[in-house]
Structure formats: structure tokens, C-alpha cells
Amino acid sequence: MDKSLRRLIGAGLVALLMAGCAGQQGMVETLRGGPEPAELLAQAQSQSGPEAARTRLQAADILARRGDNAQALKVASAIDASLLGESERVQWALLLSRVGLEQEDGWSVIQATALLEDDIAMSRDDAMTLRYRRGLALGLVGEAQDAARTLIDLQRDDAPFDLNDAIWRQLSRLRGQTLDQLASRGDPLATGWVELVRLQRRNGGDISGLFARIDEWRARYPNHPAARRLPSNLQALSELRGQDVRHIAVFLPESGPLANVAQAIREGMQARHMNALDQGEQTPRLSFYDASRGTLNTLYAQATMNGAQVVIGPLDKDKVSQLEQRDSVPLPTLALNYGTAPSNKADNLFQYGLSAEDEARQVAKRAWLDGHRRAGMLVPDNAWGDRVADAFRDAWLQRGGSLAAVTSYDPEASVSSSVRQLLNVTSERAQRDMDMLFLLALPSYARQVPPTLAFYYADDLPIYATSHLYEGRPQPRADHDLNGVQFIEIPWIVPEAAVGGENALPFFESYQKLRSAGEPALFKLKAMGVDAYELARRLPLFEAAPGTEFYGATGALSASSDGRIHRDLPWAEFTNGVPQPPLRDVQKIMFGNGSL
């Protein structure tokens, strides 16, 4: 389980987890001297429906108590809870929701908490526990608005544990209309939360200004839970007052093969800098150094002598690899690429870039959370394809998935031959064993894959892809064959899918200035420059609170323990050839055709 989720189900929820398990003591055998789960599961095979369901629940409970949450989840999720008595159904829901959270299987938790809509008697603590777990699970499956609403409603009902960090995490993922809808309920609790997150976004790079605004907010909402205790990320910021970054040195090449990339990044940084000035923010001074001249040691010496506090750069992968092998760097540094070492060893070194490997890992996570377990892979037969395939494979296998088929294709060869190999086609029909396909391809190749799958009667195979299959601008005629394909992309490229429209984009003024009919790949680099500027302003915060998440032009950004910045990108799905928000079945799972 990732660290952020462990924090969310920390001290406050632990007591409720234990309380939720306590009611099962009368039903299940103790761990010592009782039956083995395998014996119980075998016994259930010869029992009638209700009796078999109770026996399987007993087996799942023992597995969970032994720490085998993966197997407990598998057993519990397969139980037909309608065959259980009311008290047993509550015990089943508590067990399934607990192990579901432990395994980061949000859909199983949502399935379990659907019990809340049934007319079943349960204690207040059990109901609160299930509601809390539902809120966390909705966040896990990407439904941040419903997650925030669920958790805020729980807080309004005086839940006996601290919800501030959980609520803040979900609100931090919302933009535009979704925030407006929360605030439009006329509820001071929700409105206070929305106002707090908005002022944090307006002043996030100006710590002193931010806390002056927070003091004003507290005066308006003196009884708000966040007025009594700020979310942890804001508390960490409060300790950094007076430590604002005032001078940033930028190491970018002005000549050589990376000069055009560097120029696009520089344009993004400068655009964001000017917009921050126009909005009255306290902005750092920017000093640019030609990284194509001189050594890293020389550049650092010059920047230190000139009073820089933070460095952005270098961009060259080899130079980043050199830095990450050091024990530390002379100044806190945000490198604009990732090194080649397995981990970053240098203190105060952060690494940020538009990594395809990061996207592959996110695809693995989404496909797993959507319930898929047997993946197929269609990736190019080159060094880039190998790197991205390795990232997907590692992430997928770590979650417990299996690889049913892997095909490395020649980008210049026929798509049909690669798909035939992937599907093990016999007599023009697919003999596939996969339940999803990970696709890494450029647009011209990707557009041919769904029609070829359909030709071999595999058009029902869900396809998950990286951003590389989209050219970056709507082309309904060209992209109509990609209908139904889900992919990830930076918010600035898919504003409708990401935030419900351009006006809700992060750093909208910079977006307006930089957006043009030019090359989408350069526009992505400009967006990277915007986020690099904002990340550099926040490096003291990332050092003080490593779990901090920042929502920018290129996604939700957070730092791992070794300083590597990871991007969490919004999902989009092609509908009529245009990227739109993907359709999820959360409401149907919880309420049939109801709504939150």
C-alpha cells in the first residue's frame, strides 16, 4: 500500500478497523487450534448456499487475521452476501472493505459498502467505518468529487476520528465545476473547505501571503474543523514561513541537441513567472546559466556566489546521472530529467520530467483497480519500448497480475501481423487469455490497432494506453477508430477530460499565453516549464513534507522518498474521436441508478 493511503488509514481509522473486527469473534475460530482456511473452503464445496457462504466468510476472516489479505480479498469478494444473515452481512462488509483498502482494491470496498443502502441494522461505529472506507475507496478509483463529498458528509455527522487530511487529499484533486458543485450546496462546512483549497492554490508559492489569507479565512470560519487543525500539508507549510525561495538559478543549454527542448521549457517558466508577478505574488528572481558551457561544479559555484537558493536543471540525462551518484548537491536542485541509477542517492536532489515509464506504471495501477488481472502488451521493438514495457511489467507483477501475451512490434511493419501474434489467432479468431491490453504506440500505429482487433473478433478487449497515441489536438476523423480506448495525458492537453474545461485548468493565464497552433510536443515542454518553476518554489515544502502533492499543468506531482517526482495524470477516453472523461460505474455499483 502506498504511503499516502497508510497515512489516511492511520491512527483514527485503526481503532475503527479493530472495532469492525471485534464483532466477528463469536463467529470465527481463533487462530490457534481452529480449522485451516483451506479445510473450510473445501468444506464449503459440499454445503448449501447460506451455510457455504458462512463457512467461506469464516475462512476469509482467518486469512485476514493471519495477514494474508490478498487471499482473504479473493475469498471474501466471491461470497454472495445475500445468502448471509444481517449480522453476518455487516461482518462481511467490514472484512471485505478492510482487506480491500489494504490491497488498494477500491472497487471491492465500494462493493462492500453498498450494504449501507440496505435496510440493515448496524452499530453507529460500524456505519461510520463503512462510510469512511467508502470515501477512501472512491478516491482510490479516481472519483475525487464523490470521495470528498462522502468524507465531508461524514465529518458533518461528527465522525469520531480526524478526517481533515483525507478530505484535503481529495479536494486537492478537484478543479472548476467539481469544486463549484461542492460549494453550491449552501453548507458552511463544504464551502469552508472549498474556499481553503482555492486560497492555497492562489498563494501556494508565496508562503507568507498564504498564511495571511488563512488567518482571514479562520476569522470567517472559526468553528471549521480545518480552523482547529489545518491539514498536515498546510501545517508543514506554516513551519516554512520566512523561508520562501527568493532566487532560482536555471541550468539550461543554449546550444547543442537539447537547445530547442530547453527553449520551450524556458518559455514556460518565464510565462508562469510573469503571470505570478501580474497577480501580485511574491516571486523569486530567475537567473539563467548556459549549461552547454562549463562543468556542473562551475555552474553551482557561480549560482552560489550570486545568491541562488535553488537550482532548476540540468536537462541532460547523463549530467543528472552524475548528480544522483553524489552524496549531496551544493544547492537544492530540481533536475529536469531522470538519471539511470536504480535510485537517487544525493540529498537535496529532486528529479522531474515527462517520463513514459511513469505513465506505464499508472496504466498498470488503473487496469488493476478496474479489476483486470491478465494483461497483454503491445509495445515497439526498440530501446524505448523495452524501458516502458519493463516499467509496466514490474508494476503489474508487483500488484499480483499476470502477463498473458507480450508482443514487441516493428513500427514500420504490418499492424495485422503483430495483432495476430498477440492474440494467437487460429482460423481468423483470437485464442486470447488476456482481459486487457497495454498499448504503447504513436498515433499512426495506434489508430490501426482497434480495427484490427475487431477483425479478429476481439473488439471487446479493453485497451489502456499512454499519452503517446494522442497527437495533442482534437481530430475526430483521424481518431474515431480509437473510440473506447482509455489513455492518460497531461491536464493542459485534455482540459475537458481533466477538469471539465479550459477555465478550470491550473495556471490558466499561463495556459492562455502559451497555447498556440504550434507543435503539441513543444506545448507539453512549456507546460513542464510552468510546473518546474512552481516545483522549485516549493522545494522547501517537499523537503519538509515529502508526501506533499502539487496539482500542476502536467498532472498531480509528488516526490518519492528518493526525490524523484512522480506524475499522476488524468484519464481520458475517446468518444466520437475526441478525448472525454472516461465513464465509470461507481454510482451503479453503490446505488443502482441512484446518486450520492
Side-chain angles (χ1 to χ4, degrees):
M1 181 188 301
D2 68 20
K3 293 179 181 177
S4 59
L5 182 56
R6 286 195 182 279
R7 284 196 300 274
L8 289 179
I9 60 171
L13 186 56
V14 166
L16 288 175
L17 289 176
M18 298 306 295
C21 296
Q24 300 178 47
Q25 290 286 354
M27 182 192 74
V28 300
E29 298 286 341
T30 60
L31 293 182
R32 296 180 181 177
E36 286 296 310
E39 297 172 5
L40 290 168
L41 293 174
Q43 179 182 328
Q45 294 293 327
S46 61
Q47 292 176 329
S48 63
E51 189 178 11
R54 287 193 294 273
T55 302
R56 292 189 175 99
L57 177 58
Q58 184 180 352
D61 185 274
I62 294 173
L63 287 165
R65 291 171 184 272
R66 291 179 175 178
D68 190 351
N69 291 317
Q71 187 64 19
L73 177 63
K74 183 177 180 180
V75 174
S77 61
I79 294 172
D80 182 354
S82 66
L83 299 174
L84 298 169
E86 287 195 357
S87 63
E88 294 163 339
R89 289 184 68 187
V90 174
Q91 293 160 359
W92 166 82
L94 289 166
L95 173 63
L96 179 57
S97 62
R98 178 168 67 87
V99 296
L101 277 182
E102 285 288 344
Q103 296 299 112
E104 294 187 74
D105 186 341
W107 294 112
S108 289
V109 181
I110 291 169
Q111 173 193 353
T113 61
L115 187 74
L116 290 165
E117 276 59 61
D118 296 339
D119 187 19
I120 292 180
M122 68 180 78
S123 71
R124 184 176 185 274
D125 279 354
D126 286 346
M128 289 284 187
T129 299
L130 292 176
R131 290 170 65 188
Y132 191 1
R133 294 175 185 173
R134 170 184 283 179
L136 298 181
L138 287 167
L140 273 179
V141 301
E143 298 293 330
Q145 184 186 28
D146 287 343
R149 184 183 291 118
T150 299
L151 294 168
I152 289 171
D153 286 346
L154 189 59
Q155 190 171 60
R156 186 185 302 103
D157 291 344
D158 295 323
F161 42 91
D162 193 337
L163 290 164
N164 284 2
D165 287 345
I167 292 171
W168 186 256
R169 178 173 175 81
Q170 301 309 322
L171 288 175
S172 297
R173 293 170 174 260
L174 300 180
R175 287 296 183 280
Q177 295 178 359
T178 53
L179 275 177
D180 294 339
Q181 289 166 3
L182 278 178
S184 67
R185 305 168 75 189
D187 167 26
L189 179 62
T191 302
W193 274 117
V194 170
E195 285 191 20
L196 183 61
V197 75
R198 282 178 170 155
L199 69 87
Q200 188 272 338
R201 286 175 185 162
R202 287 193 297 268
N203 303 276
D206 179 1
I207 297 174
S208 299
L210 170 62
F211 280 92
R213 304 290 86 75
I214 287 178
D215 288 342
E216 296 170 0
W217 176 87
R218 275 189 164 124
R220 294 194 302 276
Y221 296 95
N223 298 317
H224 197 279
R228 296 191 293 270
R229 189 194 70 80
L230 288 173
S232 297
N233 285 351
L234 288 182
Q235 288 185 48
L237 264 178
S238 69
E239 298 171 5
L240 299 174
R241 278 194 268 196
Q243 300 181 42
D244 301 78
V245 174
R246 304 294 179 87
H247 190 177
I248 299 174
V250 185
F251 299 168
L252 287 174
E254 296 178 10
S255 60
L258 294 175
N260 288 340
V261 172
Q263 180 57 34
I265 292 173
R266 177 171 180 159
E267 288 180 28
M269 294 175 58
Q270 291 175 320
R272 175 59 194 140
H273 179 70
M274 294 307 298
N275 286 139
L277 278 173
D278 292 342
Q279 293 164 15
E281 297 181 32
Q282 178 178 290
T283 57
R285 172 187 169 194
L286 291 176
S287 297
F288 290 87
Y289 298 80
D290 185 0
S292 56
R293 297 183 179 182
T295 66
L296 284 172
N297 287 340
T298 300
L299 293 170
Y300 273 114
Q302 292 173 343
T304 302
M305 189 171 9
N306 292 334
Q309 298 165 276
V310 166
V311 168
I312 296 178
L315 177 60
D316 181 86
K317 196 175 192 72
D318 289 340
K319 291 183 177 179
V320 178
S321 297
Q322 293 172 27
L323 287 179
E324 69 179 357
Q325 294 305 308
R326 299 185 179 188
D327 292 331
S328 63
V329 288
L331 292 170
T333 299
L334 178 71
L336 297 177
N337 210 328
Y338 297 93
T340 56
S343 62
N344 170 31
K345 297 179 180 178
D347 290 339
N348 291 325
L349 176 63
F350 295 83
Q351 301 175 36
Y352 163 59
L354 305 182
S355 164
E357 291 91 329
D358 237 11
E359 295 187 21
R361 286 185 280 267
Q362 188 178 338
V363 170
K365 179 178 180 180
R366 167 51 61 191
W368 177 267
L369 292 176
D370 283 352
H372 302 297
R373 297 295 181 264
R374 301 181 309 281
M377 295 173 58
L378 190 58
V379 297
D381 185 13
N382 52 36
W384 176 61
D386 290 345
R387 290 198 313 271
V388 179
D390 286 346
F392 176 85
R393 179 186 292 107
D394 290 347
W396 186 249
L397 296 179
Q398 284 174 10
R399 290 181 177 274
S402 63
L403 291 173
V406 178
T407 296
S408 297
Y409 63 85
D410 178 354
E412 304 300 323
S414 163
V415 174
S416 178
S417 62
S418 298
V419 171
R420 284 181 64 91
Q421 179 184 344
L422 175 79
L423 297 176
N424 188 24
V425 172
T426 303
S427 301
E428 303 307 313
R429 285 190 175 271
Q431 307 296 312
R432 73 171 197 254
D433 188 38
M434 69 194 77
D435 59 12
M436 63 80 60
L437 173 64
F438 169 53
L439 174 63
L440 177 68
L442 299 179
S444 60
Y445 194 96
R447 290 170 182 140
Q448 301 175 64
V449 172
T452 308
L453 289 172
F455 180 80
Y456 293 118
Y457 304 97
D459 51 321
D460 60 337
L461 182 65
I463 301 175
Y464 295 75
T466 63
S467 63
H468 305 88
L469 89 168
Y470 184 50
E471 287 189 359
R473 60 173 68 92
Q475 300 180 82
R477 286 190 177 183
D479 290 334
H480 74 278
D481 281 333
L482 291 170
N483 284 346
V485 175
Q486 297 183 60
F487 69 104
I488 48 180
E489 184 56 278
I490 72 169
W492 272 22
I493 295 290
V494 287
E496 291 297 332
V499 292
E502 292 183 350
N503 291 341
L505 285 170
F507 313 119
F508 175 60
E509 295 80 5
S510 300
Y511 169 87
Q512 286 182 304
K513 183 174 183 179
L514 296 167
R515 185 63 163 159
S516 68
E519 175 59 43
L522 289 179
F523 181 61
K524 280 190 179 183
L525 292 170
K526 294 174 184 179
M528 179 181 167
V530 169
D531 281 355
Y533 176 84
E534 288 297 330
L535 286 169
R537 298 172 76 184
R538 290 167 168 78
L539 282 194
L541 174 60
F542 280 102
E543 291 171 339
T548 298
E549 188 174 68
F550 157 67
Y551 191 83
T554 61
L557 309 176
S558 59
S560 64
S561 58
D562 69 351
R564 291 181 174 175
I565 304 293
H566 296 292
R567 295 181 301 137
D568 188 27
L569 303 182
W571 281 91
E573 179 178 332
F574 283 101
T575 303
N576 298 321
V578 177
Q580 295 293 328
L583 297 176
R584 304 284 183 198
D585 293 329
V586 177
Q587 304 293 339
K588 183 177 180 181
I589 290 174
M590 289 196 298
F591 309 111
N593 294 321
S595 60
L596 277 173

